[in-house]
Amino acid sequence: MKSDPEMTHEPGVRAADVALLDQGSGPDVLTYAVPQELQDTVVIGSPVQVTVARRSMMGYVIALRTLQEDDPLIERLVVLAKAPDDAVCLTESDLDLARWMADRWMCHLGHAIGALRPPAQTPAVRRTLRLTEAGSAIDSPIAGRMNASCRELIRLLQKHGGQIGLSSAKTVLKDRLGRAVKALSDAGLIVSEEAYRGAAVQPRIAAGVRRVMGEQTAVLTPIQSKAMAALPVDGGIMPIADVCREAGVSRSVLDGLIRRGVLVRSDVTIDRNPLTSQRIEDAAPNLTPEQSEALRIIRAESDRRPDQRRPVLVHGVTASGKTEIYLEVIRQTRSAGRSAIVLVPEIALAAQVVDVITRRYGADVAVLHSRLGAGERHDSWQRVADGRCRIVVGARSAVFAPVRNLGLIVIDEEHEAAYKQEVEPRYHAREVAEEIARRANAVVVLGSATPSLETFHRALTGGLRHVRLAGRATGIQPPTVEIVDMRAVFRTAPSLFSEPLLGAIRERLEAREQVVLFLNRRGFARFVLCRDCGFTPQCPNCAVALVLHTTVGDLRCHHCGYSEAARPDCPECKGTRLRAFGVGTEKLESQIAELLPEARILRMDRDTTSRKGAHTRIIRAVRAGEADILLGTQMVAKGLDFPRVTLVGVISADVGLHVPDFRAAERSYQILTQVAGRAGRSQLPGRVIIQTFTPEHYAVQSAARQDYDAFYAKESAMRAELGYPPYATLINVLAADENPEAAEEAAVAFADAFRAIASDDCRILGPCPAPLVRLHGRYRWHSVIRSPQGPTARLHVRAAMGSLSRTVRERLTVDVDPVNMA
């Protein structure tokens, strides 16, 4: 680094080691001089603004030291630019956790630190892109000579009046943005500008009023008395808008009371709370013997010494009462004066779990997930940090909630892949929860009807306490399960619905019962084909066909979000013999509506639940009996409890079963078992019909019998023979670039470097093209490292990465213990 000419180095220069939040492939930590005016302000954990290669960025101080005057580092130091006073410092325990995460998942320390706080609460340097005069005057012929990424960025800037935030541009161009910015900047067509931005969300302040305490002698009119009656009698502040709404008066009435000295103005902080229900129902059902035994084991583990305590796996069939166990353990944790975190894999599930827990524990519950508004998330986080809420329910990132005196972490549906983050830091919430609980002397409870093979293997080898719930809590028999061989159906009359399934649906409609139909593929058709020339519309950014969505009349990529209007003719040959192939939830909805026009149908997938609160509205409508058939993707497979659902139909059990992923059979077994559990959860008997072209597959057969042990025995033996988890650690190293040769060269360079240093027990497979060979406009190659020793494998990968040039490292992504190999 160059030294600052205005800085005078005196003996004993104060220096700060700073972990940068957005350093890309550069060093994790850089050292800066702390100017005299900041030496009383900057402490370990402070957020600071620094300069890196003439760019401003934010980081956190992870260490402070004094350099002696003869230290050669002094001559290369740059001073800290700023230490914002409007940002929250990290604690030493926060930094220790981030260091552990950075080592475990081989990510930058700054990225691990960034995961500990919601984005809106993290100070940042706001970067914008702006068209220069030359860029504003660019014409179509010049734009035509640019690559696709540059053209798209120019169009985006023009659409936004010549200026756009870098983060907004990145949501559109993804990984292609960096090179487009460099090319256009070098050409003088755009400029990048920077400015410090504090936390994006601030407390919401509103104008309020309160009573003037003391004896009041003023004579009030009836309408003024009505306004006064709406105010707290203890002098508490109430927002003016709320007083007007509750009392049914205009603001002028309050203004008159203020002039008479009866009321006084006072600002009030508005609590943006997404939870509207605060009622408490204390009554809890009587526990079954199996539930009581599970609670006894959890209590026994919590009473053990911290160094001997193990997580508890509650392994119960669907409807076995796992949620009631969670509620009781939460009650015991609260009684001991401690707090609890409950993690759920899907936002759709969070709504139901929040509802159940809120009905039991009222205002002591806070919810945290990405579908909340930024203000709601900020205020929920603050209520937890202040100790006003001792129970947190949320998705993956809620594991970092700043609860006070943590005593319990519950991970519901622990097998779900959603607990693994797909962007850096690529942490798994289950492992983070166990580490946080270890540091806080808390207990971890894992719950699932279909535990991941890794978790069940740990239970069998003593790493977890294993509790089995073999029966439904209500004593009701599980549903009967029937497998329909669709090969025979398609030989006679091809249809989405076999006769057994269609007949069963009609019976449920006549009996005024409800049906769940499951198809784990959204959209109307998987692809569109011209039967004259063979053309299929492809995503320009990804190596996949576009999916037809008839409700909005477009073709979409489910990977990058690209869309284009569906055309009636072929863009290649202008023919009109276009045909949609495959099936998704849209087409399923259309066909069932044609077959059963009297049925009331609701669809739950990503398309119908994109708006805030949509999950909850659909669930409440089904529970209120406003729908006869609920159909959808995996959203309908987990956690739903509808007493009148007596039939579950799996349209195709083969979706996902034959993809190139060693976990395909496990995921298929899990989703089939979970969706089957939605039927017959009350006194009404349940029935499940599974349609499949591979009825003999062990995942389908085991799911039909609800036989986890049989599935585990078969799948575990195959994994052991092939050297896959839980018997080995996998590390996926992905090389990606807009240039296919550059991606291949980076993959080869890493593989060569790894082979040169790796021990015999660390094998590398590849490099080869990734299953999705192009994604977001970038070509992709990958190598997979397989080793029985995870720490050793990570050590070798780190050494190999360190031997490569920065240009090569910028193209590489490391994913430790990947759940998605695509």
Side-chain angles (χ1 to χ4, degrees), residues 504-549:
I505 294 173
R506 288 192 172 106
E507 290 174 3
R508 266 55 187 187
L509 294 180
E510 291 174 3
R512 297 188 178 278
E513 296 169 2
Q514 292 174 308
V515 178
V516 167
L517 297 179
F518 168 69
L519 177 62
N520 207 17
R521 181 180 289 132
R522 62 191 177 100
F524 188 87
R526 292 180 63 190
F527 63 95
V528 174
L529 175 71
C530 175
R531 288 181 287 174
D532 290 329
C533 71
F535 172 77
T536 294
Q538 298 280 322
C539 175
N541 307 316
C542 310
V544 295
L546 295 174
V547 178
L548 176 63
H549 288 255

Side-chain angles (χ1 to χ4, degrees), residues 275 354 363-368 380-381 383-384 389 391-394:
L275 301 180
V354 166
D364 208 14
V365 181
V367 60
L368 291 170
S380 294
W381 187 275
R383 285 194 301 277
V384 175
C389 292
I391 302 170
V392 174
V393 184

